[in-house]
């Protein structure tokens, strides 16, 4: 039987993730990590999920690899362990088919796992790792899958923004009657992180800010052109 490796130093692992997360192609297509049976995106999604769990339940929450699933979430304080199954909803540059935008991208990925049946899902967390959705609504995802699956819970882990100020991911847990989302902010040097609850749509605020910035740039460009025309007349 293969040895299961449990993560003990949570912040050290964050630093180890830095080159993987900053290389999107590797995060999409990378195979198992050395001495760890999970793919980079599976390990990273589990880390983000545990970051939220640790915010809610304390620092004894961690995860391990496993040769029968895509990682196990472990609460060392209570001894509770939950297996995870992952599905990816990302565009792969070498594939002709591009995924839909919005919540349709996430729902399509979840449906792939629902089709695997009851035995596959029973007692497990389903983790959807996604990007490229643009604006999406978590309540539409919840309503589309409500009552149709047998997973213990479904978590949506998505890339929101990245830049000089660091990386931001959202983690959304879907319940039968409501959903809750958290923001995981990671420093650019991957030495620190912060978790906070977000009550609005997990992507809307970032898209609105981006839209606002682009609008201001457009207005500024128009004013510059207008000023040049006036000076030339």
């Amino acid at each position: 039987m293969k040895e299961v490796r449990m993560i003990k130093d949570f912040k050290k692992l964050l630093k180890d993730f830095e080159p993987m997360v900053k290389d999107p192609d590797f995060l999409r297509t990378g195979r198992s990590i050395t001495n760890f049976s999970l793919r980079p995106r599976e390990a990273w999604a589990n880390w983000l999920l545990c970051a939220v769990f640790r915010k809610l339940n304390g620092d004894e929450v961690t995860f391990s690899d496993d040769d029968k699933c895509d990682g196990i979430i472990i609460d060392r304080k209570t001894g509770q362990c939950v297996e995870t199954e992952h599905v990816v909803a990302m565009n792969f540059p070498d594939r002709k088919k591009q995924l839909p935008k919005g919540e349709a991208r996430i729902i399509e990925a979840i449906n792939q796992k629902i089709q695997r049946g009851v035995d596959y899902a029973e007692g497990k967390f389903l983790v959807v790792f996604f990007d490229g959705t643009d604006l999406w609504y978590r309540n539409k995802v919840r309503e589309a899958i409500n009552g149709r699956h047998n997973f213990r819970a479904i978590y949506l882990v998505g890339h929101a923004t990245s830049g000089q100020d660091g990386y931001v991911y959202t983690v959304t847990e879907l319940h039968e009657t409501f959903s809750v989302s958290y923001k995981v902010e990671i420093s650019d040097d991957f030495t620190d992180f912060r978790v906070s609850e977000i009550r609005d749509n997990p992507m809307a605020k970032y898209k609105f800010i981006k839209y606002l910035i682009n609008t201001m740039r457009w207005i500024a460009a128009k004013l510059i052109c207008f000023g040049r025309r006036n000076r030339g007349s």
Side-chain angles (χ1 to χ4, degrees), residues 126-137:
L126 176 62
V127 181
V128 184
F129 188 64
F130 68 92
D131 67 0
T133 56
D134 289 340
L135 185 63
W136 66 280
Y137 295 93

Side-chain angles (χ1 to χ4, degrees), residues 29-41:
T29 62
R31 308 307 295 177
S32 297
I33 304 170
T34 303
N35 297 324
F36 207 63
S37 64
L38 301 182
R39 294 178 178 180
R41 63 173 180 261

Side-chain angles (χ1 to χ4, degrees), residues 21 27 44 48 89-90 101 105-106 128-136 156-172 181-186 190 194 196 198 200-211:
V21 177
L27 199 60
W44 179 231
L48 291 164
M90 305 170 72
K101 297 287 187 179
R105 172 178 297 216
I106 300 170
V128 184
F129 188 64
F130 68 92
D131 67 0
T133 56
D134 289 340
L135 185 63
W136 66 280
L156 315 178
V157 180
H159 173 254
T161 62
S162 56
Q164 293 182 348
D165 295 330
Y167 285 70
V168 177
Y169 282 80
T170 60
V171 177
T172 298
S181 296
Y182 295 88
K183 176 174 61 174
V184 184
E185 299 173 277
I186 300 153
F190 278 65
R194 185 167 68 94
S196 57
I198 47 179
D200 55 354
N201 182 277
M203 299 296 287
K205 66 162 62 176
Y206 303 110
K207 301 304 176 183
F208 175 75
I209 292 172
K210 184 177 180 181
Y211 167 79

Side-chain angles (χ1 to χ4, degrees), residues 36 52 54 69 71-72 105 137 144 152 168 177 179 206 218:
F36 207 63
V52 173
R54 289 163 75 96
C69 63
I72 301 174
R105 172 178 297 216
Y137 295 93
R152 181 169 177 173
V168 177
T177 57
S179 303
Y206 303 110
W218 180 84

